[in-house]
Every structure is written in structure tokens, then in C-alpha cells.
Amino acid sequence: MNANSDESPAIRLTARGMRTRTRIVAAAADLMRVQGIGGTTLDDVMVASGVSKSQLYRHFEDKDALVRAVVTHVGEFVVARETNMLGKVSTLAGLRRWRDSLVKANALRHGMYGCALGSLASEVSDHDAVARQMLDELFQTWQRLIDEALARIQRTGVLDESIDTSRLAVGFLASLQGGYLLAQTARDVEPMAIAVDVALAHLESLTAPGRAAS
């Protein structure tokens, strides 16, 4: 993670202090996911995490520092999830299973709250340069994971070797993020499913001559 994040104080914490810090960040992440960053106060976080004001300020000097810690926390979760799901994808069928998993998870919330990273980005990118850079790095990591999956599919001969998988990865991630946003406003996962399906249909149209999509 970016060197400007607030991870360095955590290195000096005791095990008990680290548990307290983790509890604060997890509570803040849950609140901000539902209420938004602007709608979540430090008092809310204190109540939800069960810590005192002195404990909170021992770990975070202000709300910006806490938000950056939430970005790290959410980012680690998303990157771990995407690494697990995309890390072994080497077929179009595997990519469809990735799509199905994300759509199903969002359907359980009826599309509410959008993408965990996307929601954070929409609130902080224009107001906190450090958090914006952290989020940019996380999205680049996500994009790279998609690119690597597409490159593995390409190496099997299914996709034409002239295709730039890095550009396709940008399109896939943009379709996914737009789908999350439309599902969030519609309270219906269908727009998300359609957005990703359109990206998949485009990918299938790029199959190498003589190779069926698989």
C-alpha cells in the first residue's frame, strides 16, 4: 500500500492495541458502507466499535486518517477476493463463473451499496489526494488481475493473439463498476448483470478464427 497511508503507527502497537485498531477500522468500514463517509461521524464509530474517544484518537488523528485505513481494509478484502476468483481463470467459462459470483453476491443485497471500492472512490477522490492515490492503486491491481486472466485465455488460442488484453481489462472493470452503480440506483442487480454480459459478449466476438468460445 502507498507509503503515505497510516500503516506505520500500527507497527508500534501492542497486540491488544492492534486488536482495538482493527475493531475500529472494521466498524468504520461497515458504517461507511451503509451510511457513506459523509454520513458517518467519529461518534458513530466510537459507539459501533465500543471504544472511547481517547482510544480512537490514539490510533487516528482525524477522520481522514480513519478513512484511509478503511480504504486499506476494504482494498485488502477486495483484492484477496478477486485474486482468489480470477487467479486461476484461463477459459471463457471460468470468466463467466467469476461474473456469476459477483452478480449473485450483489443480488443478495438487491444491488444496494454498490461496489465497496467504487463507493469509497466516489466520496473521497476529489477531496483527499492520498486516499485517491490509494484507491487508484487498488483499481489498477484489480484491472491487472482481469488482464492476467484474459492473457491466460489468450494463450490457450481462444482469443486472437493480436488482441490487447490490457485494454479489454479496462473495459471489463468499467462495465463492472458501471453495473454496480446502476444496480445500486435501481435496487435491482439486473443492470449489473447486463453490463458484464455485454462485456463478455464482446470478448466472445473476438475469438480466434476457427476457435469456438469456451
Side-chain angles (χ1 to χ4, degrees):
M1 185 55 63
N2 188 285
N4 290 323
S5 68
D6 65 327
E7 291 187 351
S8 55
I11 297 174
R12 299 188 293 271
L13 292 176
T14 64
R16 181 178 180 181
M18 179 59 81
R19 287 193 297 271
T20 299
R21 184 182 189 279
T22 299
R23 190 166 73 249
I24 293 169
V25 174
D30 287 343
L31 288 170
M32 291 176 186
R33 183 74 188 274
V34 176
Q35 300 175 180
I37 293 173
T40 299
T41 67
L42 293 180
D43 285 342
D44 292 335
V45 176
M46 283 187 283
V47 171
S49 60
V51 301
S52 65
K53 181 176 290 189
S54 62
Q55 285 177 304
L56 179 66
Y57 281 101
R58 180 187 174 203
H59 294 279
F60 304 102
E61 63 180 6
D62 54 24
K63 187 175 179 180
D64 283 346
L66 178 57
V67 169
R68 293 167 192 166
V70 168
V71 169
T72 298
H73 173 79
V74 172
E76 288 174 348
F77 170 80
V78 171
V79 168
R81 181 195 69 198
E82 294 301 294
T83 299
N84 181 58
M85 290 198 296
L86 286 167
K88 295 182 180 179
V89 169
S90 59
T91 64
L92 292 178
L95 204 59
R96 292 188 202 101
R97 286 192 292 271
W98 167 73
R99 170 266 189 213
D100 292 345
S101 179
L102 292 179
V103 170
K104 181 177 180 180
N106 203 26
L108 294 175
R109 302 191 300 268
H110 303 289
M112 293 174 67
Y113 313 127
C115 169
L117 282 185
S119 296
L120 289 171
S122 68
E123 291 202 66
V124 306
S125 291
D126 294 332
H127 308 290
D128 184 339
V130 173
R132 183 203 62 75
Q133 184 176 354
M134 294 167 67
L135 284 157
D136 182 49
E137 291 173 359
L138 288 164
F139 277 118
Q140 287 186 42
T141 298
W142 197 345
Q143 180 182 316
R144 176 180 53 77
L145 290 168
I146 298 172
D147 182 16
E148 290 172 352
L150 294 173
R152 285 191 296 271
I153 296 172
Q154 186 178 47
R155 287 195 293 272
T156 68
V158 171
L159 296 179
D160 190 275
E161 61 182 14
S162 66
I163 292 170
D164 185 345
T165 58
S166 64
R167 289 176 61 84
L168 283 175
V170 174
F172 258 97
L173 187 55
S175 296
L176 179 61
Q177 290 302 312
Y180 270 120
L181 179 60
L182 292 175
Q184 182 179 9
T185 54
R187 290 293 190 267
D188 183 351
V189 78
E190 186 65 15
M192 176 189 178
I194 292 172
V196 184
D197 284 345
V198 168
L200 279 168
H202 175 65
L203 181 64
E204 291 170 354
S205 75
L206 299 175
T207 53
R211 294 295 301 267
S214 60

